[in-house]
Amino acid sequence: MLLDYMKGHMGGNTIAFLLGEQIPAGREIPVAQEVLSAAYLACHEAGLLYPPREGGHLRVRIVEPGNPNFITACGGLTQVLGKALVETSLGRPFEIEAREPEMEILLETDAGQVSLQVEVAGGKALRVLTDLTPFARECYEMGVYPMTLRGVEVVRVGKFLVVDGEKLGEIFPGLDLASLDPESRDLLQDLQEEFHSRTGLLSHDYTLFDRQAGSGGDFRALFPHDIGEGWIEPACGTGSVALGIALFETGELPAREGAFRVALETGGGPLMGGPDLTTLEMAYAAGRPVRACFSHSFIQITSLGQVILP
């Protein structure tokens, strides 16, 4: 099987794009997961691209390693896709052409229609703003509430486990979360296993953060989705939105209503914080999100070509 692909990343969150119609029906997930493996493209997520069905510009179905089902949203994928549709030929089969100074791209996803606002100049995507409001609302539908795991106060945000690294350090002093030493890795895994046991969730969606930002951000973050399998994302759009929701619900942000902006230091390698900024723009009304958008400061398209599968 010969598949066309394009690969890129958002702050080290690696994404592969495939043309869904090149994959035999019923085999989409296992084929995409093989492409994601270290033997092929070594990516965190795959986006299968299809012609639109519901008035958008493009239909996207999202696959992640180890999950037997499609996932509903991936913020990093949308950021890389926005850049690729402007700067490469990826949008040509779907009649998407770059327009200056700004263009809107409507993605049909399993979480609903997702809007991308892309600032364009000289054939380059200068900034991609992803509207993940459908994902934020999905989080509340699944459940947003505090929990205590192994004596540590955490927050469930939909399918995400959000852990405050400083609270973790108060209960378990001596951890080196900044470098994810072996003790930290074991403890984070233990928290996730208890979270799965208590919630019945099987997905691996994890946000770890602290307040030790030093490069223009408000917080540092890392996304250790499945440490045992080495799946640690330096940046994650949905995980960043989950953090914004957790900060709102715990009262850490200054206002309980209205709009707010939060900058997270992320990216680079699989360590806490990073050289990039993930910027959240969120707004609430009556205790529910009415806007949840984000952009990332560093997006790259890294390769394109074909993969050969048995």
Side-chain angles (χ1 to χ4, degrees), residues 24-69:
R27 295 187 58 198
E28 294 90 348
I29 291 176
V31 167
Q33 287 176 335
E34 189 168 3
V35 171
L36 291 176
S37 71
Y40 288 91
L41 299 184
C43 289
H44 295 119
E45 284 91 15
L48 309 187
L49 308 181
Y50 298 89
R53 292 180 174 180
E54 300 173 355
H57 295 103
L58 185 64
R59 180 173 177 240
V60 185
R61 305 211 73 188
I62 307 167
V63 177
E64 65 182 9
N67 193 328
N69 304 305

Side-chain angles (χ1 to χ4, degrees), residues 254-308:
R256 291 285 295 171
E257 301 291 340
F260 56 87
R261 185 183 178 100
V262 177
L264 311 176
E265 293 178 4
T266 61
L271 300 173
M272 180 72 85
D276 310 329
L277 286 180
T278 299
T279 303
L280 298 175
E281 301 175 12
M282 300 185 69
Y284 274 74
R288 288 294 183 267
V290 293
R291 176 176 167 83
C293 299
F294 90 98
S295 61
H296 191 82
S297 63
F298 185 47
I299 312 167
Q300 277 190 317
I301 308 302
T302 56
S303 70
L304 59 86
Q306 295 180 316
V307 293
I308 304 171

Side-chain angles (χ1 to χ4, degrees), residues 6-307:
M6 179 172 292
K7 178 179 176 179
H9 75 94
M10 178 195 82
N13 175 199
T14 50
I15 310 296
F17 295 105
L18 305 171
L19 298 177
E21 293 182 341
Q22 291 184 345
I23 302 174
R27 295 187 58 198
E28 294 90 348
I29 291 176
V31 167
Q33 287 176 335
E34 189 168 3
V35 171
L36 291 176
S37 71
Y40 288 91
L41 299 184
C43 289
H44 295 119
E45 284 91 15
L48 309 187
L49 308 181
Y50 298 89
R53 292 180 174 180
E54 300 173 355
H57 295 103
L58 185 64
R59 180 173 177 240
V60 185
R61 305 211 73 188
I62 307 167
V63 177
E64 65 182 9
N67 193 328
N69 304 305
F70 288 105
I71 64 172
T72 57
C74 173
L77 180 147
T78 65
Q79 291 279 293
V80 179
L81 182 54
K83 187 175 183 68
L85 291 173
V86 168
E87 298 184 6
T88 76
S89 62
L90 188 64
R92 191 172 299 159
F94 311 101
E95 299 182 352
I96 299 173
E97 296 182 359
R99 297 187 306 277
E100 300 185 14
E102 186 174 272
M103 61 185 292
E104 181 180 33
I105 302 167
L106 298 177
L107 306 180
E108 298 174 4
T109 76
D110 289 343
Q113 199 166 87
V114 171
S115 170
L116 307 182
Q117 297 290 334
V118 187
E119 296 176 10
V120 183
K124 300 293 184 181
L126 305 182
R127 179 176 183 255
V128 181
L129 183 68
T130 299
D131 186 345
L132 283 181
T133 307
F135 168 76
R137 291 172 177 158
E138 178 186 81
C139 289
Y140 279 90
E141 291 169 2
M142 293 183 66
V144 175
Y145 50 81
M147 301 177 66
T148 301
L149 305 177
R150 297 201 61 184
V152 181
E153 295 179 7
V154 303
V155 183
R156 174 187 174 174
V157 179
K159 59 185 180 178
F160 267 86
L161 168 60
V162 180
V163 175
D164 183 333
E166 292 172 52
K167 289 184 177 179
L168 194 63
E170 291 173 1
I171 305 299
F172 298 94
L175 295 175
D176 187 359
L177 289 172
S179 65
L180 282 189
D181 62 346
E183 292 78 12
S184 298
R185 288 171 174 258
D186 290 344
L187 179 56
L188 290 171
Q189 277 190 278
D190 290 345
L191 292 176
Q192 188 175 55
E193 289 171 5
E194 185 174 344
F195 179 70
H196 286 164
S197 176
R198 295 266 298 277
T199 62
L201 293 169
L202 298 178
S203 57
H204 292 78
D205 298 277
Y206 211 141
T207 299
L208 175 68
F209 76 99
D210 66 18
R211 298 161 190 79
Q212 307 303 312
S215 302
D218 301 298
F219 301 89
R220 299 191 305 179
L222 180 67
F223 309 91
H225 299 307
D226 190 345
I227 289 178
E229 294 298 323
W231 181 19
I232 304 172
E233 292 184 2
C236 176
T238 51
S240 298
V241 170
L243 175 54
I245 292 171
L247 293 170
F248 176 83
E249 289 296 331
T250 56
E252 180 149 355
L253 297 175
R256 291 285 295 171
E257 301 291 340
F260 56 87
R261 185 183 178 100
V262 177
L264 311 176
E265 293 178 4
T266 61
L271 300 173
M272 180 72 85
D276 310 329
L277 286 180
T278 299
T279 303
L280 298 175
E281 301 175 12
M282 300 185 69
Y284 274 74
R288 288 294 183 267
V290 293
R291 176 176 167 83
C293 299
F294 90 98
S295 61
H296 191 82
S297 63
F298 185 47
I299 312 167
Q300 277 190 317
I301 308 302
T302 56
S303 70
L304 59 86
Q306 295 180 316
V307 293

